[in-house]
């Protein structure tokens, strides 16, 4: 009987110590696009193009400069530090950085189509709703700089790309609702996690 009790205690101890390891991994790793878009799964909302691998906060850049630019493989780590190590098997692909300026804390961008004819980027925003005293809800105007990492394994994308924007006002996201976008500084495509 002692032998079985010891075995059960050993198994339980192993399971508990594994939980803290899993929690550490979850806390130290970036989150998937699917977590960011989870509030919109009930809607027919745009999804990330499969060639978009990461979305991260980046250093401020000259807003008059190109927003679409080739990104050498060795420079990926400077913009996407948590994503870079996951791309070692894709060194033969070309990579691009698509830069965006966010001026509103409650909006974010989703490149839903990226092809040689151009890119379509959806600007997600909450549904505006009249509040008491006819005030339209608003968010903090904070300027932040973000970049998308785009892969091109077929070498179809060029050094320049036409960028088009389309508004996506969520039918379920109301002003003041929590959306996890700003909780992370780097988001990753589920395809490489």
């Amino acid at each position: 009987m002692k032998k079985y009790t010891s075995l059960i205690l050993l198994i339980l101890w192993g399971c508990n110590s594994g939980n803290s390891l899993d929690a550490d991994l979850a806390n130290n790793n970036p989150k998937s696009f699917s977590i960011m878009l989870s509030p919109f799964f009930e809607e027919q909302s745009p999804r990330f193009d499969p060639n978009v691998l990461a979305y991260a906060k980046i250093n401020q850049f000259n807003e008059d400069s190109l927003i679409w630019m080739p990104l050498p493989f060795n420079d990926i780590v400077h913009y996407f530090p948590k994503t870079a190590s996951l791309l070692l098997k894709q060194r033969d692909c070309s990579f691009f950085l698509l830069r965006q300026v966010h001026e509103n804390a409650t909006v974010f961008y989703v490149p839903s189509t990226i092809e040689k004819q151009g890119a379509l980027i959806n600007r997600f925003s909450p549904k505006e709703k009249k509040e008491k005293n006819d005030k339209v809800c608003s968010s903090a105007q904070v300027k932040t700089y973000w970049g998308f990492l785009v892969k091109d394994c077929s070498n179809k994308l060029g050094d320049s790309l036409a960028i088009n924007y389309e508004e996506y006002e969520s039918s379920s996201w109301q002003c003041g609702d929590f959306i996890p976008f700003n909780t992370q500084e780097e988001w990753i495509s589920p395809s490489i996690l």
Side-chain angles (χ1 to χ4, degrees), residues 16-52:
N16 286 337
S17 65
N19 287 342
S20 65
L21 179 60
D22 291 343
D24 288 345
L25 287 171
N27 290 334
N28 293 323
N29 283 306
K31 303 292 184 195
S32 161
F33 291 160
S34 57
I35 293 172
M36 182 171 61
L37 294 178
S38 63
F40 310 101
F41 282 155
E42 298 296 319
E43 303 175 24
Q44 294 296 316
S45 66
R47 302 286 189 248
F48 283 92
D49 182 282
N51 292 312
V52 178

Side-chain angles (χ1 to χ4, degrees), residues 71-77 84 87-91 93 95:
L71 185 63
F73 185 83
N74 290 336
D75 290 349
I76 293 173
V77 71
L87 301 176
L88 296 177
K89 292 181 181 177
Q90 300 184 36
R91 290 184 72 100
C93 296
F95 294 92

Side-chain angles (χ1 to χ4, degrees), residues 7 13 44 66-67 73 79 103 109 122 130 151 157:
L7 184 59
W13 179 79
Q44 294 296 316
L66 295 174
I67 62 169
F73 185 83
Y79 296 97
E103 296 188 0
Y109 295 85
N122 296 94
K130 297 281 185 178
K151 76 172 178 178
L157 302 175

